[in-house]
Every structure is written in C-alpha cells, then in structure tokens.
Amino acid sequence: MDPSNGPGNGATRALGDALAAEYAAVWAYGVIGVHLTDAARSAARAAEAAHRSRRDALLLQLAEGAGQVPADRAGYALPYPVTDRTTALQLAVEIEERTAGHWRAALPHTSGADRNTALAALTDCALRATRWRRTAGVNPVTVPFPGRPA
C-alpha cells in the first residue's frame, strides 16, 4: 500500500480543505457584517466568531500533525457583489452551505475525534444556513442533506 494514499493522509487533506473553507468564511463575514444591522449584524459577528474558533482549533491540530497547513489568503473573490442587506444575507447562506460541503466531504476520510469534529462543524453550518435563510425570507428554510451539492 502506498503511504501517500493512507487514511491519515486523506484525513489531513480533507481537514486542510475544511480549514481553507473556514479561512474563506471568516473573511466573508467581514464583508457580510458591514451590510447588516441590529440582530442580523450580531448574528454575523457570532457566526464569524464560530468560524474563527473552528479555524484556530484546526490550525493548531494540523500544525501539531505531520501534514502541511494550508495558508490563509490575503483576500477571497466573492461570487457576486455584496452591496446591501439582501446580497449580504444571500452570501451568508452560501458561505455556510459551502463550508458545510467541505466538512461533509471530510466525514468519509475521518474517524474518532476528527469525525466528531467534522460532524459538529457540518451541523453548525447547517443550523446557521437555516437561520440565515429564515432571516432572508428564503423558502424552504432547510435543505434535505446539508453540505451536499444541489
């Protein structure tokens, strides 16, 4: 068996991809929060803090392992201009769905504590996406399989 294809390496790669998604989520919430007010702005701050916390924990975990830690970028390209509350909420939903997708993709490559972390992160992203859909007035508010491409 080729060691580069071992289960640990697949887990490290999948967690590295999830880390990259967390970097992007933290960056996006900086853009999102500027266009929101009151409770929605508070929710964006809480979401950013949650993504920062996951990012930091994952950074430490990967740095302690033998894998390569992906670097954060200086900025990220947004899928569309975010100019108002509507587009900010749309981006919040999309960021949570994309990040959920990366955590979902990590599930088959992980086990034990790493799998629990991936499942918890997927669940958190799915819950936040549901809350953002509700805030934006998007129906349906839930999706059948969070993190799965449409």
Side-chain angles (χ1 to χ4, degrees), residues 61-141:
Q61 178 183 344
L62 292 174
E64 290 172 357
Q68 180 126 353
V69 179
D72 195 0
R73 297 182 197 166
Y76 294 83
L78 297 175
Y80 39 80
V82 178
T83 58
D84 56 14
R85 181 179 192 276
T86 300
T87 53
L89 292 173
Q90 181 181 351
L91 181 60
V93 171
E94 188 166 336
I95 285 300
E96 294 301 342
E97 288 174 345
R98 286 183 181 192
T99 307
H102 282 82
W103 284 110
R104 180 184 172 103
L107 287 172
H109 302 286
T110 55
S111 61
D114 288 344
R115 187 175 180 87
N116 290 340
T117 297
L119 184 57
L122 169 60
T123 302
D124 289 347
C125 290
L127 288 171
R128 276 192 299 274
T130 298
R131 289 184 195 120
W132 286 124
R133 283 188 209 93
R134 186 177 57 223
T135 300
V138 173
N139 284 306
V141 254

